[in-house]
Amino acid sequence: MSERRGLLIILSSPSGAGKSTLSRRLRDWDKTISFSVSATTRAPREGEKDGQDYHFLTEAQFKADVAQGEMLEHAHVFGHFYGSPKAPVQAAIDAGRDVLFDIDWQGAQQIQNSALGAHTLSIFILPPSIKELHRRLESRGQDTAEVIGKRMQKSWDEISHWAEYDYVLINDDLEETEARLRSIVSAARLKRVQQPDLNAHVMRLQTEFEDRS
């Protein structure tokens, strides 16, 4: 059996569509899938550990990494920089381990256009309706009405990029959506580009064929 390269699994959705829950379930299904640890220029919060929750960098370090092509994607959010370091992701996929990214459409585009773009699997999660999306945000009990309103305003901008993804799932039933997500990941692992030993195997077959002549 040929060894495979790892996948860069990108999950995106508007807030409340179920992306975080599906990300957790996907990692519970296959514990070899690692979650990409982002880099940030903001200060650590209480209890956060460098290299585990985030890679905490100075702004100068972050900008230097971007300039040297060491970030797969990056963005400036609320006065701080955030990004996905390339080196640990490269090491993981070279070792045949998948890396999961919980990012928005802008980060997804950057990764898809990066040097590792050939190994990406991008999936967008849609809610069954806007009404249901709003209900889910309210039921979480985590945000004020004002914050929920802002999330709802942003949701359509995110949804409008659905066609830029490899797969789109409507999360109308969590169990069924999880099953479809597993199927997509399982199939993507078998793509030709993910199997680096295929060329050598075909050459061996060719040699065997010619030896029979």
Side-chain angles (χ1 to χ4, degrees), residues 48-195:
E48 289 183 332
K49 296 181 180 179
D50 184 39
Q52 179 175 318
D53 299 289
Y54 284 93
H55 298 288
F56 294 102
L57 306 177
T58 65
E59 187 167 320
Q61 289 174 320
F62 192 100
K63 289 182 176 179
D65 284 349
V66 171
Q68 294 167 13
E70 294 300 321
M71 290 288 174
L72 286 171
E73 57 86 24
H74 64 279
H76 189 254
V77 182
F78 299 124
H80 301 290
F81 289 97
Y82 293 84
S84 301
K86 177 182 176 181
V89 176
Q90 180 77 67
I93 68 168
D94 287 347
R97 300 193 306 273
D98 302 325
V99 181
L100 181 62
F101 294 81
D102 180 346
I103 54 178
D104 65 10
W105 65 269
Q106 293 169 307
Q109 283 187 349
Q110 291 182 54
I111 291 180
Q112 289 171 315
N113 293 328
S114 74
L116 302 181
H119 305 293
T120 61
L121 168 63
S122 61
I123 305 161
F124 196 89
I125 310 298
L126 286 171
S129 68
I130 297 301
K131 181 179 180 180
E132 174 63 13
L133 183 67
H134 187 266
R135 187 199 67 78
R136 290 177 185 178
L137 287 174
E138 285 189 324
S139 67
R140 295 194 307 194
Q142 297 176 348
D143 300 315
T144 64
E146 181 181 359
V147 171
I148 290 174
K150 289 180 179 179
R151 291 188 186 280
M152 290 298 299
Q153 288 177 356
K154 185 180 178 183
S155 66
W156 184 249
D157 177 57
E158 295 168 330
I159 290 173
S160 69
H161 293 274
W162 66 274
E164 299 165 13
Y165 287 73
D166 298 323
Y167 294 88
V168 179
L169 298 176
I170 300 173
N171 187 21
D172 50 359
D173 181 282
L174 184 59
E175 301 299 329
E176 290 184 8
T177 304
E178 179 188 355
R180 294 196 293 267
L181 180 59
R182 291 182 184 183
S183 296
I184 290 169
V185 172
S186 296
R189 288 171 169 174
L190 298 175
K191 289 178 66 175
R192 177 174 53 81
V193 70
Q194 297 305 117
Q195 301 185 65

Side-chain angles (χ1 to χ4, degrees), residues 4-9 23-36 88-89 91-101 185-186 189:
R4 70 175 182 88
R5 290 190 179 93
L7 290 166
L8 284 72
I9 304 171
S23 295
R24 184 179 67 253
R25 288 191 172 209
L26 189 64
R27 294 179 67 201
D28 287 342
W29 168 63
D30 186 341
K31 297 188 183 300
T32 67
I33 299 175
S34 61
F35 199 79
S36 175
V89 176
I93 68 168
D94 287 347
R97 300 193 306 273
D98 302 325
V99 181
L100 181 62
F101 294 81
V185 172
S186 296
R189 288 171 169 174

